[in-house]
Amino acid sequence: MTNGRNSEGATDTGGKVWAAPYRWGSIVIAYKKSKFKKLNMAPIEDWEDLWRPELAGRISMVDSPREVIGAVLKYMGASYNTDDINSKVIGGKNAVRQNLASLAKQVRLFDSTHYLKAFGVDDVWVAVGWSSDVLPAAKKMRNVAVIVPKSGASLWADLWAIPAASKIGTDQIGGRIRGPSPLIHQWIEFCLQSARALSFQQGVLPGAVPQALNGPIIEMPKELTKVNRPKLDTNLLAGVPPPHILNKCEFLEPLPDATVSDYEWLIRSMQTSGPGFIERLQHKMSTVIRVLQLKLHAKIS
C-alpha cells in the first residue's frame, strides 16, 4: 500500500512514496435488521438494493461527489475511476444522470456530518458511509448489519506523512530550523507491523492493517476470542471485505479535467429535497477544479 504516485496523484511504479498507510477500510452500507424483518424485506447485499421502492426516503448517505456518483457507476457495472463516462458506461452521461436522479429521490439526507445521526434515531433505515464512521456507531446499536456491497466499493486509507514544510527557519531568539523527529521512521515502521492487527481485530480501531490488503488475515489468539462482546452482523472480517469482494474494490484515483466537468454537469442536473446538497457538492467539485488549475499554472510557469 506504499505504491508510488506521480505529481498528478496517479499511481506510478516509478513515482515517489508520499505517505505510509496505517489503516484502511471501505465504503459500507448499514441497515436496520429489525425494520427489514418487521416489513419482511430482503437484506441489503449490493448497490442495486438502494433503488428498491420500499426504501424511498429511508436512506442517508455521505455527500461526497465521488462516492455518490461512484455508487451509481458501480450500480451500472462501471468503475469508480471511469475516465470517460460517455464511452465506458452503457447509455453514457444521460443514463448516469437518470440513475443519479432516481437515487436522489431514494435518499432522504446527503450529509457527511449527520447521516449517522439520522440512522441512529430511525429517521432512516439505511446509512451509506465510510467504515471508519459506520462501524463504531453500528456497534453501539442493536439489530444493525453492516455490509460491503458484493460488486465492490471504494477504499480509503489513513496515512502517516512528513509535511514538506516541517523544516522551517525562524528569526525568534533561540530559534532553530525545526525538522521532523529522528524517531519518525521508527514510528512508521512500528505502525506497519503486522502485530498491530490485533487492535483492529478486537474492534478497538475501525479499519484494517495495511498488510491485510494483500496478505492473509492474522488470526486472533483463542484466549481473546472468548471475551463476551456483542457480535456485529457484517461480511467484514477484521475490517477486511471477503476476498471475492475486495478484488472488486477500488481506491479513488484522480479524474481528468473532462470527467470532472461531467461530474459538475451531473450534480447540476440533480433534483433533491435535501437543503443545500447541490451547493455543497458544487463547492467540493469547484475545489477539485481549483487544485487542477493550480497544477496547470505551476506547469506553465
Side-chain angles (χ1 to χ4, degrees):
M1 284 187 64
T2 52
N3 289 337
R5 288 182 178 266
N6 59 28
S7 58
E8 301 299 321
T11 55
D12 185 346
T13 54
K16 296 180 180 179
V17 175
W18 297 89
Y22 64 88
R23 67 170 180 167
W24 62 278
S26 68
I27 277 282
V28 294
I29 301 176
Y31 65 93
K32 297 286 183 74
K33 293 195 298 180
S34 54
K35 296 290 185 182
F36 277 58
K37 184 177 181 180
K38 182 179 179 180
L39 297 173
N40 197 29
M41 293 191 297
I44 289 180
E45 296 183 344
D46 209 351
W47 291 111
E48 63 184 10
D49 292 317
L50 298 183
W51 276 261
R52 282 157 45 177
E54 63 268 29
L55 292 179
R58 294 297 184 178
I59 302 171
S60 65
M61 188 174 187
V62 293
D63 64 0
S64 165
R66 289 298 302 271
E67 300 296 356
V68 175
I69 296 176
V72 176
L73 292 173
K74 293 298 286 183
Y75 166 64
M76 299 178 68
S79 165
Y80 278 92
N81 299 309
T82 300
D83 55 9
D84 189 336
I85 294 176
N86 271 330
S87 66
K88 296 183 178 181
V89 180
I90 297 175
K93 286 194 302 182
N94 285 324
V96 175
R97 179 182 61 79
Q98 292 174 6
N99 286 320
L100 182 60
S102 60
L103 176 63
K105 293 178 181 178
Q106 294 287 102
V107 177
R108 180 170 182 174
L109 176 69
F110 286 100
D111 192 311
S112 298
T113 302
H114 302 293
Y115 75 104
L116 286 175
K117 293 180 181 178
F119 184 65
V121 297
D122 285 345
D123 281 347
V124 297
W125 303 340
V126 179
V128 184
W130 299 286
S131 56
S132 54
D133 292 342
V134 176
L135 289 174
K139 288 175 181 178
K140 298 176 183 178
M141 304 177 192
R142 299 181 61 184
N143 292 313
V144 171
V146 178
I147 63 104
V148 181
K150 63 183 182 182
S151 60
S154 68
L155 301 176
W156 56 266
D158 285 341
L159 314 169
W160 289 113
I162 302 174
S166 60
K167 294 184 177 181
I168 301 175
T170 176
D171 295 329
Q172 295 179 357
I173 297 176
R176 62 186 176 84
I177 296 179
R178 300 182 182 275
S181 167
L183 301 177
I184 186 65
H185 295 290
Q186 294 180 38
W187 172 254
I188 292 176
E189 289 295 331
F190 167 75
C191 291
L192 295 177
Q193 291 179 3
S194 57
R196 291 190 65 249
L198 186 60
S199 58
F200 294 103
Q201 291 173 326
Q202 291 179 301
V204 177
L205 295 172
V209 290
Q211 291 84 351
L213 187 64
N214 298 313
I217 298 171
I218 300 174
E219 294 185 7
M220 187 185 299
K222 292 182 179 179
E223 61 270 18
L224 294 176
T225 60
K226 297 178 182 179
V227 178
N228 291 326
R229 58 167 58 92
K231 186 177 181 181
L232 182 66
D233 185 358
T234 179
N235 61 355
L236 290 162
L237 180 59
V240 181
H244 67 284
I245 295 179
L246 181 58
N247 290 336
K248 302 173 185 177
C249 293
E250 310 168 70
F251 282 104
L252 300 182
E253 298 176 2
L255 297 174
D257 292 357
T259 308
V260 172
S261 297
D262 288 342
Y263 270 59
E264 284 195 301
W265 178 80
L266 289 167
I267 292 167
R268 286 196 301 267
S269 71
M270 289 183 66
Q271 294 180 353
T272 176
S273 57
F277 170 61
I278 293 178
E279 290 76 9
R280 288 198 303 274
L281 289 187
Q282 286 178 332
H283 172 71
K284 291 185 178 184
M285 290 306 298
S286 65
T287 301
V288 172
I289 291 173
R290 284 198 297 271
V291 171
L292 291 173
Q293 289 174 337
L294 288 172
K295 287 182 179 179
L296 180 60
H297 178 71
K299 285 184 178 179
I300 296 175
S301 299

